Amino acid sequence: MDIVVLEELKAYIDPLTNDEYEALERSLLAEGCRDSLVLWGDILVDGHNRYGICQKHGIPFNTVQNTRFQSMEDVHLWMIEQHLGRRSVSDYQRGVLALRKREILARRLQAQREADLEALRAAQAATAAAEAAEAEAAEAAAALKAKPESDDLPPWDPVPVSRAELAREAKLSANQVAMIERIHTQAAPEVVEALKAGEISISAAAAVASLPVEEQRSAAQGGKAELKQAAKRAREAKKRPRTESAGEGANAEGGETGEGAESATDVRALQRRITRLERENEELRSKVATLQNQLVRMREAHAQSAG
């Protein structure tokens, strides 16, 4: 069987460092390839480094198919789950992976809500004719009630994920996830590389990410000491307006300021959105249930008239 290596999957997770790669190569040469490579059809999903080393040295290996994948997004989510469970993954990498998972699940939740709305419209339109209502409402009900027969449920059901839930899964604090999200969206590539190399902490990198991009790059080129100074400047600049406006920094819930207030605000906003989405979905299910009850009564009336 020809194995297909897709660059998008190979690059989806940060590559091994030189030391990690050399350690893996020594292990494979000494003990062979004990873990099977994971495939989706002929596409390699897990084991890119092992596959390359085995090809290089002619080391035999086994493969296993994952039959649960239905799309490339399923593959991405499975890869994220696997790497979140590995101790060698850094805190920053965990945060980035958790954010990627949230983006995918948010898209799926939106798609499901749109599908639910479309099913409801179809069911409502179908009530104009008894036979059409019976067929289309049954379809909508089946779609809403469908459950996998297996207990081995995929970990990527499209449910809303809060920052707190992401933090727990990534073994981080909610504040760390907030800082990593800022780094992921605002930091210059040079600052991210310095963070991955251990030259700067996550909190310092988040502070530097608030600076203009050119200033970030200049600090990164200046090395560890200059990055620390840039982080200090960014934090001082953030504190200065609060000092000039007494009491302005305290929020209505007990004086939270800075990153803590921002994190709390984000969590509350996400929670409100989750509550609203859950309420809307519950309303949809209630309407479909009403249509189903109407259909049952219509069937009973038809059966009585026929008898």
Side-chain angles (χ1 to χ4, degrees), residues 122-143:
Q124 289 174 330
T127 54
E131 290 183 0
E134 196 169 319
E136 292 189 26
E139 257 182 47

Side-chain angles (χ1 to χ4, degrees), residues 190-225:
E190 293 85 352
V191 174
V192 174
E193 289 304 315
L195 172 59
K196 290 179 180 179
E199 296 177 2
I200 189 173
S201 67
I202 290 175
S203 61
V208 173
S210 66
L211 298 172
V213 174
E214 288 305 318
E215 190 172 347
Q216 293 184 46
R217 287 181 176 144
S218 176
Q221 290 168 0
K224 188 173 182 179

